[in-house]
Amino acid sequence: MSKLINGLILILKKIKRSIFGRIASIYNFFCSHARLRNRVFFYTIRGNGVLSGNIKCVYDAYDGEKVVFAKMLPHSVIDVAKAKWLLLTSKVVVTDDYLKYLRMVRLRKEQSVVQVWHACGAFKRFGLDAPSKLTRDEEIRTHSQYTDVCVSSDYVRRFYAGAFGVEIEVVKAIGSPRTDNLLDSAYQFAQRQSIFSKQPILENKKVFVYFPTFREDYGEITDFDPEIDWNALNESLENDEVFVVSRHPVMKKRFFESGSFSKIIDLTAEPTEELLAAATAVITDYSSIVFDASLLSIPTVFYCPDYDTYERSFYLDYETELPGKIVKNQEMLLEAVRSSLIIHEHETDSERFFEKEMSACDGQSTKRIVELIKEHLNQ
């Protein structure tokens, strides 16, 4: 009897998938034959109701007709319908991450897709070059309709072309929009004043900001233990030093309870730009924050106790090409950070790293991308 019931359930599920598949096909057809509007569709899965980073800079600078879809996954049926409608009826699409619906529909030849990827440079492998929940075919179809991929230097173009499975001509070294503000001294001053007003503990202190990135297992986010004895670290910090933790947005689990320490504070909720403006030194592991630190000439230390077991590989030689000291245990961490402030031991490495990874970031990136969008709209 149970086998019969299970069989019926499987049949019903297949029928349901078939019906929904047919409905989706009809809806896609309807959308793709509706009037194509001369507008820009900004799509992100990196926040709910808000844009940030590269895509926000471009959105703010573009003064024509525009519409936004900002919703983290998973999406409801209504979200899917809205996203597809805007995708299939907008002449230009701008995204800063995966736009899954691109692998489900075929855009018209008059449409363009501009990828302003959320990170600079080429550090840890991604897309087709990294473990993924998607099949290789799904990865390729997700990225195959890009007309432009905007990157931070000519050197990294080949890596993005490989990761997205697109021709290298599609990848253009015209900069990363969010770096324009990082190069603006007035903006940096305002960011520094803002974080000091909210977090007075940071003012007149040496601020060491720890930016750990998330860990995953074939695309699934996993818990992360930074292997830090927080009590010992707090005791080791001088009175003029503050250790700030800023976890990656997808890392929901805190390392310690708020208010646990006098010289260690979790400020994950504060904007990254503000924390960078206050930072005396940056500590990270495999995060693309290294590119921002490079742009701002902030000494950087790489703390990676799990280096030997980290899932992803890199586009560079981690142990020889990074612009800073690598530390694999807590005992050497503070010593390395303090040393980086006294003598910039990797100054030549930093200059070489910046030239390779960030040379197209000159304060005019947003302007160039907006001009590119307008060119597509006028075609």
Side-chain angles (χ1 to χ4, degrees):
M1 187 67 177
S2 61
K3 287 184 179 180
L4 178 61
I5 292 174
N6 289 335
L8 288 172
I9 290 173
L10 287 174
I11 292 171
L12 289 173
K13 284 183 177 179
K14 287 182 180 179
I15 293 172
K16 181 181 177 181
R17 283 197 297 270
S18 178
I19 292 172
F20 275 101
R22 287 174 183 269
I23 292 172
S25 295
I26 294 169
Y27 182 73
N28 293 347
F29 180 84
F30 168 74
C31 293
S32 62
H33 287 77
R35 181 171 69 91
L36 187 63
R37 299 185 60 165
N38 205 48
R39 71 180 172 205
V40 183
F41 170 40
F42 291 85
Y43 173 99
T44 185
I45 56 172
R46 301 185 66 78
N48 289 320
V50 295
L51 299 175
S52 62
N54 287 334
I55 198 167
K56 183 181 188 304
C57 293
V58 178
Y59 176 85
D60 289 346
Y62 178 68
D63 57 1
E65 184 181 355
K66 52 192 175 183
V67 64
V68 172
F69 180 94
K71 185 72 182 293
M72 298 177 75
L73 296 170
H75 293 162
S76 67
V77 173
I78 293 175
D79 290 331
V80 173
K82 179 182 178 182
K84 284 186 176 180
W85 169 259
L86 295 173
L87 172 64
L88 290 166
T89 59
S90 301
K91 191 167 184 183
V92 176
V93 178
V94 179
T95 186
D96 63 347
D97 209 307
Y98 277 49
L99 204 174
K100 62 184 291 186
Y101 306 114
L102 282 173
R103 62 177 177 264
M104 304 175 186
V105 300
R106 195 75 211 159
L107 300 184
R108 301 176 232 195
K109 66 180 187 304
E110 301 93 337
Q111 292 182 273
S112 302
V113 181
V114 180
Q115 171 63 262
V116 293
W117 195 243
H118 52 274
C120 298
F123 190 3
K124 55 182 180 286
R125 293 179 181 271
F126 64 98
L128 289 165
D129 297 333
S132 173
K133 292 185 290 186
L134 301 179
T135 65
R136 182 175 178 81
D137 179 62
E138 287 173 329
E139 280 279 357
I140 290 172
R141 286 190 288 113
T142 300
H143 310 298
S144 64
Q145 298 189 75
Y146 296 158
T147 50
D148 311 272
V149 176
C150 307
V151 299
S152 59
S153 75
D154 186 67
Y155 174 76
V156 304
R157 290 174 63 219
R158 53 181 170 150
F159 301 123
Y160 281 77
F164 290 145
V166 299
E167 296 297 325
I168 196 165
E169 290 76 19
V170 171
V171 186
K172 296 163 184 174
I174 54 180
S176 181
R178 59 187 297 275
T179 64
D180 294 349
N181 286 332
L182 296 180
L183 292 167
D184 184 334
S185 57
Y187 178 87
Q188 285 300 302
F189 178 78
Q191 296 296 295
R192 190 159 48 250
Q193 293 305 110
S194 176
I195 192 66
F196 287 162
S197 67
K198 291 181 289 183
Q199 304 292 340
I201 189 178
L202 305 182
E203 196 163 8
N204 300 317
K205 297 289 180 65
K206 295 175 184 175
V207 181
F208 307 150
V209 189
Y210 175 40
F211 292 100
T213 195
F214 61 90
R215 302 304 194 270
E216 59 189 339
D217 183 10
Y218 279 86
E220 293 289 345
I221 304 298
T222 60
D223 286 341
F224 168 57
D225 177 6
E227 299 183 35
I228 291 177
D229 181 332
W230 299 105
N231 286 297
L233 177 62
N234 191 64
E235 290 297 318
S236 299
L237 288 163
E238 302 291 343
N239 289 331
D240 65 342
E241 297 173 336
V242 179
F243 193 97
V244 174
V245 174
S246 180
R247 292 170 284 112
H248 189 282
V250 304
M251 297 168 65
K252 304 304 181 186
K253 186 176 180 180
R254 299 176 67 97
F255 298 146
F256 48 81
E257 293 299 318
S258 179
S260 299
F261 306 103
S262 59
K263 301 170 190 173
I264 304 174
I265 184 171
D266 187 316
L267 295 182
T268 298
E270 298 292 355
T272 298
E273 290 83 359
E274 293 187 9
L275 296 178
L276 283 171
T280 309
V282 162
I283 303 158
T284 188
D285 40 27
Y286 319 109
S287 169
S288 60
I289 200 72
V290 59
F291 300 112
D292 294 353
S294 169
L295 196 71
L296 294 168
S297 299
I298 303 173
T300 304
V301 170
F302 298 87
Y303 175 60
C304 52
D306 64 342
Y307 175 73
D308 294 330
T309 58
Y310 184 61
E311 182 187 49
R312 291 204 208 181
S313 54
F314 308 94
Y315 291 111
L316 46 70
D317 187 316
Y318 192 93
E319 300 200 69
T320 63
E321 293 187 70
L322 290 176
K325 184 171 289 186
I326 297 169
V327 179
K328 296 183 181 180
N329 60 73
Q330 180 184 342
E331 288 70 25
M332 301 296 293
L333 180 56
L334 277 183
E335 179 185 331
V337 173
R338 289 165 179 156
S339 172
S340 73
L341 303 182
I342 300 169
I343 303 172
H344 204 333
E345 298 174 341
H346 298 270
E347 188 170 341
T348 302
D349 291 341
S350 296
E351 292 173 357
R352 187 183 302 116
F353 182 82
F354 178 85
E355 184 60 31
K356 285 173 63 176
E357 303 281 348
M358 303 287 287
S359 58
C361 300
D362 57 0
Q364 301 297 315
S365 302
T366 303
K367 180 181 177 181
R368 284 191 289 267
I369 294 173
V370 169
E371 289 174 351
L372 176 66
I373 289 170
K374 289 182 176 179
E375 287 176 12
H376 286 311
L377 288 169
N378 292 329
Q379 288 177 354

